[in-house]
Amino acid sequence: MKRLILKNTISLLAVCSLGLTSCLDLDPVVNDKIIPENYFQNEDDARAAVTAVYRPFIAGWSGSIFSAHVASYLMESNLVTDEMGLTRNDLEVVERFLWSSTESNVTKHYTNFIKHVSRATLLMDDLQRTPMNETRKQELTAEVQCARGLYMFMLYDFYGTAGVVTDPEVLRNPENEIFLERLSKEEFVKLIESDLKSAASVLPSTYATNDWGRFTKGAAYAILVKLYMQEKRWQDAEAACREIMKLGYDLQSSYSSVFSVENAKNNEIIWAIPCLAEGGEGNMWLTHIVPPGYPLANNKIQRWYVHNTPWSFYDKYEKGDDRLNSLVGEFKYLPEGATDSVLATRDNFEHLKKGALPIKYPEDPKQTTEYSGNDVVVHRYADVLLELAEAINEQNGPTGEAISYVEQIRARVGLPNSIPAAVTANKEAFRDFILDERGRELFCEGHRRRDLIRHDKLITTAHEEGYTTAQPHMVLFPIPQNIIDESQGKIKQNPGY
Amino acid sequence: MKKNLLLFVDFIKDIEIKHLIRIMRLSVFLILVSIFSTHATISNSQNIRITITEKTISLDKLINEIEQQTNYLFVYGENDIDLQQKVKVDARNKPISEVLDKTLKNLGITYEFSKNYISLRRIDADKTGVAVLQQTRKVSGVITDVNGEPIIGANILVKGTVQGTTTDLDGNYTLEVPSNAVLQFSYIGYLTQEVAVKDKAIINVSMKEDTKSLEEVVVIGYGSVKKSNLTGAITQVKAEDLPQAGNMSLGQMLTGKAAGMQVSLQSAQPGGGVWMQIRGNASGGAGNKGPLYVIDGFPISTENMEPGSDNRYESGNKSPLNNLNPADIASIEILKDASATAIYGARAANGVVLITTKRGKQGEKPKVQYSGSVSFQKRVKQIDMLDAQGFMAETNRVLYEDYLSDNKLGVYGNTDPSTVAPFSPKYSNDQIANAQTTDWLGAVERNGVITQHNLSLTGGTDKTSYYISGNYYDHQGVVKNNGIQRYSGRANFDQKLGKYIKTGINFNVSQVKSDNVALGSGQNENAGVIRAAMNANPSLPIYDEEGKYTLDPDQPYLANAVSLLEMTDESTVNQLLGNFYLIVTPFDGLDVKMNAGFQQEKGERNTYVPKTTLYGQKAGGEASKAYSNRSSKLFDLTASYTKTFNEVHNFSAMAGYSYQHFSSNGFNAGNSRFITDAFKWNNLAAGENTKPSVGSFGSEEVLGSVFARVNYNYADRYLISATMRGDASSKFAENHKWGYFPSMALAWRMINESFMQEQEIVSDLKWRVSLGQTGNSNIGNNALALYSTGYNYNFGDQQSIGVAQSQLANPNLKWETTTELNVGLDFGFFQNRITGSMEFFTRRVDDLLDEKVLMQYNPISKVMANIGAKGSKGFELGINTRNLIGEFSWSTDVVFSLYRDRWLERNPQWKKAIYENEKDMLNSYYLYISDGLVQPGDMNPDGTCKLPHMPNAKPGMIKYKDLNGRDEDGNLMEGPDGKLDDADVVYLGTKTSKFYLGFGNTFAYKGFDLNIFFYGYLGRQLENPAYDWYLKRSWFLKNGVNMATAVRDRWAHDNQSGKYPTSIMNPYDRSSDFWLENANFLRCKNITLGYTLPKIKNLDKVIQNLRVYGDVQNPFIITKYSGVDPEMDSMAAYPTQLTVSFGVDITF
């Protein structure tokens, strides 16, 4: 006995430890994410990946494109024009044309957009190798292509041309770094055009209700119109508008109902960001606009009171314009402890002193806290009608057809047959009138900046607002310095910065 | 693995049954012998011959030898026979009985052959009385230590004989001795004393410590060594050196205590986070988690287990070490150089902290100790905000300044004032005169109270020892409704199973409960209690006329600060930490140790935002409940062997294997729109939100390791130590699963050289040098390509789940390797009245693991990569002096350390910002350089600024220097270019403090003891984070945001000598050196005065020791810094406190 036992011990321990070594499984365990080998296997995978391409458009997050947050693409577009001001000092550098090349709030979109373009490029390639129904595959690919076209258009809008990647192989191997250059204007426009055109040729014109919000043929054309308008390719713009005319869109009978929850998915909307008060991303517009004291039926709506519309813009509306029910310059309210309601005006109400209230989106009775279910309208038929009128006017002057489209818009808001004769006398007068009418119709929808730039009025409008620091080069925002640096100087800054 | 564990259990059973024999008392054993011996088949002879050639060996060894050479097995009572005593043997082929006769006789031991057993007995224990002595008399007495504590098991020997005895549990002895005898009193660790008996009947002896043999033992990774034999850089902190009262966790206690360890407090809130860092920050670009913590051999997780709040508010940062009761700690070893840490391989790059908890000692009399304290806290500093009058007046002034500027009046241009509308102030003089100030910060603060109780039981029998403790700690913070409590219990058991086996268990269970308050420094709608109170308009009352919380119409996004206290946010972190060890010593010198254990942590958080708060009202009440679990299982197996050859060649070796498995998972759910606030989080289904929130996560990780260490020591003069560890982790790509981390250290104990024996000045001198490598693998699952959900979008009326790639793979990812060279010197002067250590080190971190920035066109911006090399250099000094000894004693401790961390190499694809340099220091300031404020003289008549790079600047704005520009290719071009951009940014060195200092003095006189401790950081500059908002952005007064009182000292048309910039919003707002201020500080951490009551007759039977003390923590801080606290500050900092404590320590 005796020693033998202990010798056994040691050998047992040795076996034990060897055994453990052999069962040392060093494969990584990932339980809550997906490894690439298991992805792009079927249509469900493809659909979920396409959903992700839409993600940056959501309304309810400060970093997203169409959010009501002060530094979003949408709001910065509004802020540099005369249709929007700030009640708080959050982003005066943008409102007052004080930015420089180091202001990340205006440069950041460039980086985001080129990344979104790349993600779309990769996904279009991934979709090709996904086993699934060929027609669905083509439709999904067209959605991604339309998104890419839109991302590139937004780049073009804010920064002029950009360096983007449309070759998936470049992205498959990120270690192999490519120094991009900014494409020439012709090349870049052509790239956007070809994406949107080929998307438009495949995309369906409508979807079933539960797919509402995806890119449609109409959406692709609506973006294309914007591109042609900025390029002053009036004939192309007109043709694209007429394609949209074929798709069955119509004006809603009341202006505010275009934006209401009750009338969601109405057929004036060409493309919108679907919003949910709960259970998904919501619309933060009203929260950003409503000041304390303003009467709302739903007391769960949070009021942050960040943006307003300067009085100078408000005063461009005529009396009786129905749109002034959405751009509120005065309202009745019941002061605390009072029995009779009082009319709040810019002269007596603290929170109207700085400007009118752009209550574009009517209350959602289901809103709680910051988020409402009003879909954020990006492209709509009224916009297309005015664009068509402008495209015709630029080619042929104020024709009857062109005037009739403007008339349709005005008739809807209770101003029928009120276009002054002097306005339709010549191309230039009608051009100015359309610009103003577009401002009144599309206030705070993110189009006015482009409209003013197209008519070379962005800087003069800023000067009229008292922002004397606005300079001609500020029609484009600066490119982020780190993009220039990483390109080792191949990407050049916009002139003036 | 399971199978192997089962095998192991079988083995233990095996051992236990067969070897239990050895641990039984002799009497029982002899009965058993007769039963067992019937099975013995081999016949033995007393004349069997043996050969033992070693001259002096221990009895233990002799027995081993005989057992090996024969079939005899020795039996003896372990208390009876001292196996360590030396015997002289020189036997060549001698009969066993002859050898035993010669050797055992001198030891006073008799032996007896019985079948194949040899039983040993001590002569004086032999009732038959072998040694009969004449003229005897009875002597008795008590043997105590210097503190008067009885010594159990001390030896009393009649000089020149083998006759003697040992003391009992009360230190008593009785012995029959010849009247001319001289008694020798001895005990391990004490100096042997001799007393002549003469006619004394009672001889009480107070033993004196033998400082040489009582030498400290230092715990190292997988073992321990005598301090004098240390080869690596290790700092030991004893539990008794840590401040007792008013500190929740170890971290808070360690500030300034250990050279080489930088401890900084992150927040002054109860249980607030502590950042501990050993020797700088060079390693761990991917997230330096700080050092690896090992408690009693178990590497613990130090993840913060508290789930997030799931609402818009954060509750601040807490220390993950809060679950560990500091009163259970016996000592802390801080492993610094690679020689010390390399044995922990891939987790050791940021140092290792070994925590040893208290244990009972064998033969120790049971001892009950209670310590308790109560502390009172008062906030010492909070940022000074404007009162109502100040707020209104300054708001008017800000508006007036804007009016002047917008209309280009006065200093802002040459407009005729009569052409513009007159200025109308926001507040009238009447309003200002009649304004009532609300002290918003005061309304959310209170005085704090801390109470704590510790009760422990320690003791041991000859085989078993134990330490059992319980702790209760309760801290009510200085912000209302904010508090933390800990309940913890620990049981450490050790059991000797005879000669060969020792086993034990450590078990710790703890719960930390927090009452959280929204303390985040988020702005606007995310503002927590303190930020909301700072923002609040001081002229508004807390409640309106109806008793509801006031809302500020100027800041409609801001919740009423006091209302936020209505939120309920509870979190609980439970922790179970248990490990079991078994040491088998098959023969002298070899220990085989198995250590298995687990750590189970569970975090829970429940929150409710009631309808009485702004956002709670809008959400209809918002509830959430979240859990997170984390567990780690450990199995270690080590074998260590020690042997001395020829008395001077001391050799030891250790090898081991370790396997650790980690898993974590969690779950959370929430809802809103409740019909009542009454449910809180207890009825989530009652919420009416159409899509209640729900989430979960889970992950696993495996670490397998082999390691070894060899030590050799020649005559206690030349020491060498080498270690090696191999670690394999599931986190890495297939090609780089294993990493190997070697180290080597040499030491020279110069003091033991003969030439050092002549002098008396130097009492200790040891040189050390070490070189080794450690690693870092702290990258989570970041090396894999992953697709994630969460890229969701609404289509139609519902949300669709979107999936996108969230992470890129790097198949070539390698371990980060730190190579460190350390040179150390341990010294002592004047009989160790002055002792200390010095360390110089230089380390280089290669294959630095961090995110590599990719070209911006990639959808995923970063990939985990080995991005370069960083280096760190430093010096550490720790000195202890005993300035006065004797009745009045005074000792001083000083620790000092400094580090310099910098980049050494960058990845070739490094995206360099124009102001960065290849070898910049870490944690750098890159700032614009300011040049005072723009003055009216800098302006053109049309209102533009003369500075070409700042044309839109207005008087009173910070002037920045246009230092550099870019050439055509984007390269830096020196000299002004008329543009203010990042080419003008300048590298200004590191934000990290240059020197760390700790300084303590302890005085003792009679029963009194006084300790005063200071620590400080020197060579640092900070920007006051509260000023970043509440001074810099004074234009926010227009929005109703209150400002710090310092705002009065800003530039204005009527205060052109103002120190701070104007209230006109600055379009050139840049991070600049303008705001940097000297943030050096020296904090008096504590002053403690204690009094130990003298022994009182009869009472000392019950109470052995009683000490009462009073303590003041943070009584003052010496600094020029303007913020709340130079150590822990934030935009809305938790106020720091002065803590006054009273405590008592009682030993029963």
Side-chain angles (χ1 to χ4, degrees), chain A residues 2 9 118 175 265 278, chain B residues 11 67 673 797 857 909:
Chain A
K2 46 178 204 158
T9 317
S118 293
E175 295 283 319
K265 309 184 184 69
E278 279 178 347
Chain B
F11 152 71
E67 283 184 340
R673 287 211 270 139
D797 298 320
Y857 58 72
Q909 292 183 335

Side-chain angles (χ1 to χ4, degrees), chain B residues 580-645:
Chain B
F580 163 81
Y581 76 87
L582 179 81
I583 302 172
V584 181
T585 310
F587 53 87
D588 194 34
L590 177 68
D591 283 331
V592 179
K593 181 174 181 181
M594 185 216 63
N595 182 20
F598 69 98
Q599 183 187 18
Q600 179 79 53
E601 294 169 286
K602 190 182 172 89
E604 182 182 345
R605 186 159 188 176
N606 302 313
T607 68
Y608 186 70
V609 186
K611 296 185 208 179
T612 43
T613 65
L614 174 61
Y615 291 91
Q617 187 266 323
K618 305 299 183 192
E622 198 179 1
S624 77
K625 206 167 169 63
Y627 295 98
S628 60
N629 293 297
R630 192 177 164 85
S631 74
S632 142
K633 287 171 238 165
L634 174 80
F635 180 85
D636 279 355
L637 192 64
T638 53
S640 51
Y641 182 69
T642 314
K643 194 166 174 71
T644 301
F645 302 97

Side-chain angles (χ1 to χ4, degrees), chain B residues 753-1009:
Chain B
E753 294 289 350
S754 52
F755 61 79
M756 292 296 289
Q757 306 311 316
E758 299 299 306
Q759 54 83 40
E760 285 188 341
I761 297 167
V762 181
S763 47
D764 190 13
L765 197 61
K766 180 167 70 168
W767 292 94
R768 288 179 278 108
V769 58
S770 75
L771 180 67
Q773 289 189 322
T774 53
N776 174 29
S777 59
N778 181 23
I779 55 159
N781 272 331
N782 296 334
L784 306 167
L786 292 175
Y787 280 70
S788 302
T789 56
Y791 297 81
N792 302 346
Y793 195 71
N794 305 325
F795 290 118
D797 298 320
Q798 63 178 16
Q799 195 177 49
S800 296
I801 301 301
V803 171
Q805 188 162 12
S806 55
Q807 194 169 286
L808 294 168
N810 183 350
N812 298 316
L813 203 62
K814 275 188 262 182
W815 301 84
E816 176 180 304
T817 305
T818 300
T819 309
E820 182 172 346
L821 173 70
N822 190 86
V823 177
L825 173 66
D826 299 329
F827 55 85
F829 297 102
F830 312 112
Q831 271 123 30
N832 283 354
R833 287 280 289 275
I834 299 172
T835 57
S837 304
M838 249 189 267
E839 313 278 350
F840 303 85
F841 75 90
T842 168
R843 73 165 52 149
R844 182 186 165 94
V845 185
D846 283 296
D847 298 325
L848 196 76
L849 275 178
D850 204 342
E851 288 173 325
K852 182 172 94 175
V853 178
L854 298 171
M855 296 296 280
Q856 292 292 333
Y857 58 72
N858 288 289
I860 299 163
S861 310
K862 288 164 180 171
V863 64
M864 199 47 83
N866 302 104
I867 61 155
K870 289 178 182 173
S872 195
K873 280 187 174 122
F875 169 73
E876 292 148 10
L877 174 67
I879 295 182
N880 169 273
T881 58
R882 288 185 287 163
N883 310 322
L884 290 173
I885 51 174
E887 194 171 39
F888 180 72
S889 72
W890 170 29
S891 65
T892 303
D893 289 288
V894 179
V895 301
F896 173 81
S897 33
L898 65 90
Y899 310 100
R900 299 294 180 262
D901 300 333
R902 66 169 65 247
W903 279 98
L904 296 177
E905 249 176 50
R906 311 265 192 168
N907 184 287
Q909 292 183 335
W910 175 42
K911 309 284 182 296
K912 175 184 175 299
I914 192 159
Y915 46 82
E916 286 177 313
N917 312 294
E918 171 105 18
K919 295 191 174 174
D920 284 349
M921 293 186 78
L922 307 188
N923 195 22
S924 290
Y925 275 121
Y926 296 106
L927 295 170
Y928 288 85
I929 303 299
S930 62
D931 188 18
L933 303 177
V934 176
Q935 297 296 339
D938 297 319
M939 302 301 292
N940 294 314
D942 66 349
T944 58
C945 182
K946 284 178 185 165
L947 297 170
H949 57 290
M950 297 175 67
N952 299 323
K954 300 257 168 83
M957 291 176 183
I958 297 175
K959 236 192 252 181
Y960 303 99
K961 289 187 182 170
D962 177 16
L963 297 169
N964 304 307
R966 284 183 163 81
D967 65 14
E968 277 295 294
D969 304 321
N971 298 317
L972 190 79
M973 201 171 61
E974 280 184 40
D977 67 339
K979 275 190 216 169
L980 187 66
D981 62 15
D982 60 358
D984 302 313
V985 170
V986 171
Y987 163 67
L988 286 178
T990 182
K991 295 175 193 174
T992 309
S993 308
K994 295 202 168 54
F995 308 104
Y996 301 92
L997 187 68
F999 177 65
N1001 280 290
T1002 307
F1003 306 90
Y1005 179 70
K1006 296 202 164 156
F1008 289 95
D1009 59 89

Side-chain angles (χ1 to χ4, degrees), chain B residues 661-679:
Chain B
H661 174 269
F662 309 87
S663 71
S664 65
N665 62 68
F667 172 79
N668 68 283
N671 208 341
S672 63
R673 287 211 270 139
F674 290 90
I675 48 168
T676 167
D677 278 343
F679 295 144

Side-chain angles (χ1 to χ4, degrees), chain A residues 203-207 212-223 240-252 265-272 377 379-385 405 408 412:
Chain A
L203 288 169
S205 49
T206 54
Y207 288 96
W212 195 86
R214 292 179 181 278
F215 287 113
T216 56
K217 192 182 291 290
Y221 276 122
I223 305 162
C241 287
R242 293 198 189 280
E243 287 295 328
I244 296 170
M245 305 281 278
K246 293 179 198 160
L247 296 171
Y249 297 104
D250 202 357
L251 293 185
Q252 297 302 294
K265 309 184 184 69
N266 62 72
N267 78 339
E268 183 172 335
I269 298 172
I270 297 173
W271 192 59
V377 178
H379 297 292
R380 61 186 174 103
Y381 189 57
D383 182 10
V384 174
L385 287 180
Y405 294 137
Q408 273 188 56
R412 193 234 322 245

Side-chain angles (χ1 to χ4, degrees), chain A residues 249-265:
Chain A
Y249 297 104
D250 202 357
L251 293 185
Q252 297 302 294
S253 54
S254 98
Y255 182 82
S256 68
S257 73
V258 178
F259 307 96
S260 73
V261 177
E262 293 77 9
N263 194 30
K265 309 184 184 69

Side-chain angles (χ1 to χ4, degrees), chain A residues 89-304:
Chain A
N89 305 83
D90 295 48
L91 210 53
E92 276 189 7
V93 281
V94 176
E95 191 196 6
R96 294 173 162 242
F97 284 77
L98 290 167
W99 68 81
S100 65
S101 65
T102 52
E103 177 58 55
S104 67
N105 277 310
V106 297
T107 61
K108 66 180 181 188
H109 307 286
Y110 183 95
T111 314
N112 293 338
F113 292 161
I114 61 168
K115 284 180 188 298
H116 299 329
V117 169
S118 293
R119 207 178 266 285
T121 297
L122 274 175
L123 182 52
M124 284 163 67
D125 189 48
D126 286 328
L127 289 173
Q128 293 319 303
R129 63 180 166 90
T130 307
M132 63 182 286
N133 173 294
E134 209 45 46
T135 313
R136 287 294 301 124
K137 183 189 282 188
Q138 292 319 313
E139 283 176 358
L140 285 175
T141 308
E143 280 181 67
V144 179
Q145 196 165 13
C146 187
R148 189 170 76 174
L150 175 54
Y151 286 127
M152 290 193 293
F153 173 69
M154 292 189 291
L155 275 168
Y156 187 59
D157 179 25
F158 263 26
Y159 305 98
T161 66
V164 293
V165 185
T166 48
D167 176 4
E169 284 318 304
V170 171
L171 302 167
R172 296 278 175 218
N173 186 6
E175 295 283 319
N176 184 18
E177 301 188 330
I178 306 287
F179 301 120
L180 299 174
E181 286 181 51
R182 292 175 75 173
L183 296 174
S184 72
K185 190 175 156 89
E186 291 68 32
E187 287 170 316
F188 201 59
V189 169
K190 206 171 161 194
L191 212 50
I192 302 169
E193 187 184 4
S194 101
D195 265 358
L196 293 171
K197 270 179 138 175
S198 60
S201 68
V202 178
L203 288 169
S205 49
T206 54
Y207 288 96
T209 307
N210 57 5
D211 274 327
W212 195 86
R214 292 179 181 278
F215 287 113
T216 56
K217 192 182 291 290
Y221 276 122
I223 305 162
L224 205 50
V225 171
K226 300 270 171 226
L227 178 70
Y228 291 146
M229 296 290 286
Q230 289 321 99
E231 290 303 288
K232 302 190 178 169
R233 287 161 61 178
W234 308 114
Q235 203 178 342
D236 291 328
E238 184 188 338
C241 287
R242 293 198 189 280
E243 287 295 328
I244 296 170
M245 305 281 278
K246 293 179 198 160
L247 296 171
Y249 297 104
D250 202 357
L251 293 185
Q252 297 302 294
S253 54
S254 98
Y255 182 82
S256 68
S257 73
V258 178
F259 307 96
S260 73
V261 177
E262 293 77 9
N263 194 30
K265 309 184 184 69
N266 62 72
N267 78 339
E268 183 172 335
I269 298 172
I270 297 173
W271 192 59
I273 314 299
C275 287
L276 297 168
E278 279 178 347
E281 303 292 344
N283 183 338
M284 299 173 81
W285 187 268
L286 211 52
T287 293
H288 277 84
I289 304 303
V290 182
Y294 180 81
L296 285 177
N298 177 357
N299 76 349
K300 303 272 191 208
I301 296 173
Q302 184 54 254
R303 299 153 187 250
W304 285 352

Side-chain angles (χ1 to χ4, degrees), chain B residues 224-239:
Chain B
S224 60
V225 294
K226 279 200 291 182
K227 197 171 184 183
S228 59
N229 287 345
L230 260 186
T231 51
I234 296 181
T235 304
Q236 188 181 44
V237 180
K238 293 277 197 190

